[in-house]
Amino acid sequence: MTRSVFVINAGSSSLKYQLVDLDSGAALASGLIERIGETTGEAKHELPGRPKVVEQRVIPDHEKAFGWVLRQLDQHGPALDEAGIIGIGHRVVQGGARFDRAVLIDDDVAQQIDDLAPLAPLHNPANLQGIRSARATFMGYPHVAVFDTAFHLTIPPAAHRYAIEARIAAEHRVRKYGFHGTSHQYVSRRMAELLGRPLDEVNTIVLHLGNGASATAVRGGRSIETSMGMTPLAGLVMGTRSGDVDPGVIFHLHRVAGLSVDEIDLLLNKRSGLLGMTGTGDMRDVLQSAEAGIPRAVEALEVVGHRLRGTVGAYLAHLGRTDAIAFTAGIGENAAKVREVALAGLEGLGIVLDPERNAGRGERRISADGSAIEVWVVPTNEELEIARQVAALVDAG
Ligand code: AMP
């Protein structure tokens, strides 16, 4: 009998879903609904080995979106009663200092996700909307919240406190939370498996490089430092986000350039990073332009590499002993050039890439045989991690 988990990632105008088979880890069905609440929406439903169902239609709200998903499952399969769904997993971005693991959603948990909205105003209300609509659609199933921040709650105060006035920090919950936790957790666990060693003995630096990007130092399966902060704006250079800037830049842009707080927010979150430096936020285009010698793309790649090397260096120091560095997500898995610049010149620290392995594909070791620290590409699978956490909770309860 199939056992599966229905995994949901709800945005303010989007809904991504995957029905995950717990035994094989494969997607039994997946889909994406976009532009919910707008004048024309698009809905896609996909089954392995079959042509994608794509419909342009008006989708007024998340509940109607779930109705569409149910109809697809009904018409194209897998039928709900045959899919063996044991629970519904919801990706929730911000779990604050409260949620250090996945939890069954009841009205109290829903309220707490709502209370955390000031810390993630773009994400938590949308996640909650997804939860409410899904609970109304998939009645009778356990619903579980899996938080992007939970894995990072093991980060010690020395690393998560900002050196600002303590009273203000406490009152407004200002501290490092970190994000991409499910991905960092999945990849660090998989890394220990690949090394054939117990998780609690393995120290890994995970570089999740996608449109959003973050690095995490994982000691024995526990996050001890990560590059994103109170918000996902901090740290590495991203597709459209600046990553770290001197906070004084914000005052300068306000007082001298005359930008409002909202304009600066938009600038740093949506118009910076690769997009701001080169005109495109897509790493494939940046690499192509850099290859052709276009100066701003060459420079952007240097900035990306510099920031990554600095982060890796810091995490080597925090971990004391590092067994492996794992690259993951769209850029980390696919862009050999970015992996090369990220680790260039670190031979003296025991990190040596093998160019041929680096140029290959799929899950593999890419370091040279003599490299003291192993370097790997480990494809992430956030849906599977969420599904497993849901299953662990449901089976325990
Ligand atoms: P993600 O957010 O994990 O989906 O990653 C998206 C990023 O991965 C985008 O910047 C893409 O340009 C980048 N990406 C995907 N495939 C490749 C590739 N083959 N080479 C370089 N970058 C890639």
Side-chain angles (χ1 to χ4, degrees):
M1 167 80 184
T2 308
R3 271 164 47 95
S4 67
V5 171
F6 194 73
V7 176
I8 294 168
N9 185 353
S12 57
S13 64
S14 68
L15 180 69
K16 206 172 150 191
Y17 61 91
Q18 194 177 108
L19 184 60
V20 180
D21 182 333
L22 284 164
D23 291 328
S24 66
L28 299 171
S30 59
L32 175 65
I33 301 176
E34 292 175 290
R35 300 196 298 277
I36 296 170
E38 295 179 23
T39 42
T40 54
E42 185 174 84
K44 294 180 209 152
H45 182 75
E46 207 171 351
L47 297 166
R50 289 218 239 138
K52 219 184 264 187
V53 179
V54 183
E55 278 183 24
Q56 312 289 330
R57 51 170 32 243
V58 182
I59 304 150
D61 55 36
H62 284 75
E63 215 153 310
K64 293 279 186 316
F66 279 118
W68 185 86
V69 176
L70 279 185
R71 283 200 300 283
Q72 302 317 304
L73 291 170
D74 200 35
Q75 282 173 25
H76 307 284
L80 271 193
D81 48 353
E82 284 165 22
I85 297 176
I86 62 160
I88 316 286
H90 295 268
R91 179 182 179 206
V92 178
V93 167
Q94 179 55 273
R98 163 82 208 233
F99 294 109
D100 63 354
R101 65 198 65 193
V103 286
L104 271 175
I105 300 169
D106 55 17
D107 291 344
D108 180 44
V109 167
Q111 182 59 48
Q112 291 186 53
I113 293 170
D114 199 26
D115 291 344
L116 289 162
L119 290 172
L122 297 180
H123 294 108
N124 271 38
N127 300 153
L128 193 57
Q129 204 169 13
I131 287 171
R132 292 205 170 111
S133 307
R135 285 175 90 195
T137 310
F138 296 93
M139 285 190 284
Y141 292 98
H143 288 252
V144 174
V146 181
F147 301 91
D148 245 24
T149 49
F151 182 58
H152 298 301
L153 275 191
T154 48
I155 292 177
H160 76 62
R161 285 209 181 128
Y162 294 127
I164 65 169
E165 195 181 321
R167 185 184 57 81
I168 296 272
E171 193 176 329
H172 297 283
R173 297 180 280 185
V174 176
R175 53 162 283 179
K176 173 179 284 196
Y177 294 102
F179 299 88
H180 291 147
T182 31
S183 176
H184 289 294
Q185 187 167 11
Y186 175 86
V187 171
S188 53
R189 201 185 288 158
R190 179 77 189 132
M191 194 66 252
E193 273 172 27
L194 290 165
L195 295 177
R197 292 171 52 191
L199 180 62
D200 60 3
E201 287 176 13
V202 174
N203 294 350
T204 304
I205 297 172
V206 181
L207 300 172
H208 176 113
L209 311 179
N211 214 1
S214 67
T216 297
V218 184
R219 176 182 291 144
R222 294 157 68 88
S223 171
I224 62 153
E225 175 60 298
T226 195
S227 61
M228 283 180 169
M230 188 184 97
T231 74
L233 180 56
L236 303 172
V237 176
M238 307 182 215
T240 66
R241 283 175 248 161
S242 60
D244 284 349
V245 296
D246 170 0
V249 168
I250 294 166
F251 312 133
H252 175 80
L253 291 174
H254 179 59
R255 295 187 185 127
V256 179
L259 300 184
S260 70
V261 170
D262 287 344
E263 284 168 336
I264 300 170
D265 189 334
L266 198 71
L267 174 75
L268 297 182
N269 274 297
K270 300 271 187 218
R271 288 173 34 216
S272 295
L274 295 177
L275 176 67
M277 285 191 290
T278 69
T280 169
D282 191 313
M283 184 55 96
R284 281 167 288 212
D285 299 334
V286 175
L287 290 173
Q288 216 172 19
S289 301
E291 183 85 1
I294 294 170
R296 58 186 187 169
V298 172
E299 190 180 79
L301 198 56
E302 283 170 0
V303 175
V304 166
H306 179 88
R307 190 86 53 96
L308 279 165
R309 287 192 298 278
T311 305
V312 168
Y315 291 8
L316 292 173
H318 292 316
L319 287 170
R321 189 207 82 230
T322 302
D323 300 292
I325 296 172
F327 284 92
T328 198
I331 296 169
E333 291 168 29
N334 297 301
K337 183 70 187 169
V338 175
R339 295 191 296 262
E340 181 193 313
V341 300
L343 302 179
L346 302 189
E347 294 80 5
L349 298 174
I351 302 167
V352 187
L353 277 189
D354 178 304
E356 235 167 82
R357 290 177 188 155
N358 189 34
R361 297 191 68 77
E363 187 175 76
R364 68 200 182 281
R365 181 162 68 94
I366 58 171
S367 48
D369 289 342
S371 183
I373 296 173
E374 293 198 10
V375 185
W376 286 70
V377 170
V378 179
T380 193
N381 193 336
E382 289 170 278
E383 285 80 10
L384 179 57
E385 179 64 33
I386 291 174
R388 284 179 179 160
Q389 293 192 19
V390 171
L393 204 63
V394 170
D395 291 345

